[in-house]
Amino acid sequence: MTSTQIVDEAETTLFHSQLLRDYASYLGAAGYATNLESLDPVLWGARAFLRHFPHLKEWLSLSLPDQLRGPRKSRYFLHYLFLRHLLPASAAYLISARPNLGKVARRYLERETFAQYMEVGRRLHYSVDILSQQFHALACVMAYSQKELKELTIGDMDAFTNAVHVAWIEAGYGSDPRYWHGRLFGVRTVLFHMGVLPNLARRRT
């Protein structure tokens, strides 16, 4: 092993240790694990993921069937990585695995964003159920683009919508692109009123 490899391995080990500490703190703060007994099984999934993919982006090289085949607790960790913007979520994975990123995000990582989104959305007379569905779509766009809410652009919305359409055609299954288009139309309207996007969404004719 060369000196460069030794340094790389040491840096990876330190990164993993910090990442596991952050994940453990998140699990506790989000209420997923209230004691060591409940925490350890969930952390097992994170450790298993890191053993298989010491460099996180190695996961991206897997085929879609292999990405969908991972253990459930490892997928929980994967979704955390998406929302922490440590690993980009592909449109193919999002429409096939259908992770409830909106529910995960609003529980802790994007709790304040969710509260702000709901406040504006309710003023626009959207129902709580519709707003929850919209926020799920928004969380997916953020995970796909690896951007915070205030950084999102109309181009990010369009890129995600197009990627979903292509992924749906290629996979032949998954959530219908029309679902995403409908939810993201509402998202764009709310984000305009939040001051994030410069233009109000328009229905296609």
Side-chain angles (χ1 to χ4, degrees), residues 18-40:
Q18 184 60 54
L19 186 54
L20 289 170
R21 285 195 294 271
D22 291 345
Y23 187 51
S25 296
Y26 154 75
L27 291 169
Y32 288 114
T34 55
N35 52 52
L36 288 176
E37 186 177 340
S38 59
L39 180 62
D40 194 59

Side-chain angles (χ1 to χ4, degrees), residues 11-25 50 77 80 84 86:
E11 290 178 346
T12 299
T13 300
L14 286 173
F15 173 68
H16 287 184
S17 297
Q18 184 60 54
L19 186 54
L20 289 170
R21 285 195 294 271
D22 291 345
Y23 187 51
S25 296
L50 293 175
F77 180 62
Y80 168 80
R84 278 280 315 276
L86 295 171

Side-chain angles (χ1 to χ4, degrees), residues 69-183:
R69 201 173 288 129
R72 183 162 51 101
K73 287 184 173 59
S74 290
R75 278 185 275 124
Y76 291 160
F77 180 62
L78 176 64
H79 303 159
Y80 168 80
L81 296 176
F82 289 162
L83 292 170
R84 278 280 315 276
H85 301 166
L86 295 171
L87 190 65
S90 70
Y93 180 87
L94 292 174
I95 69 169
S96 301
R98 302 183 188 184
N100 198 339
L101 294 189
K103 184 177 180 180
V104 176
R106 74 190 192 209
R107 187 158 179 167
Y108 183 71
L109 292 173
E110 297 291 348
R111 183 183 294 168
E112 292 183 5
T113 301
F114 178 67
Q116 294 167 6
Y117 189 89
M118 292 295 288
E119 180 183 356
V120 174
R122 292 291 285 162
R123 290 205 304 264
L124 296 171
H125 306 293
Y126 285 111
S127 70
V128 171
D129 181 58
I130 290 297
L131 286 171
S132 295
Q133 293 179 43
Q134 289 177 3
F135 190 76
H136 166 66
L138 174 60
C140 288
V141 172
M142 293 166 69
Y144 173 82
S145 66
Q146 297 288 279
K147 288 185 176 182
E148 303 293 339
L149 177 71
K150 295 296 184 182
E151 300 171 332
L152 290 177
T153 66
I154 293 173
D156 294 322
M157 300 286 178
D158 290 342
F160 179 77
T161 302
N162 291 337
V164 163
H165 186 73
V166 170
W168 185 71
I169 292 174
E170 291 179 347
Y173 62 91
S175 46
D176 195 311
R178 288 172 294 185
Y179 165 85
W180 295 98
H181 177 74
R183 294 299 168 263

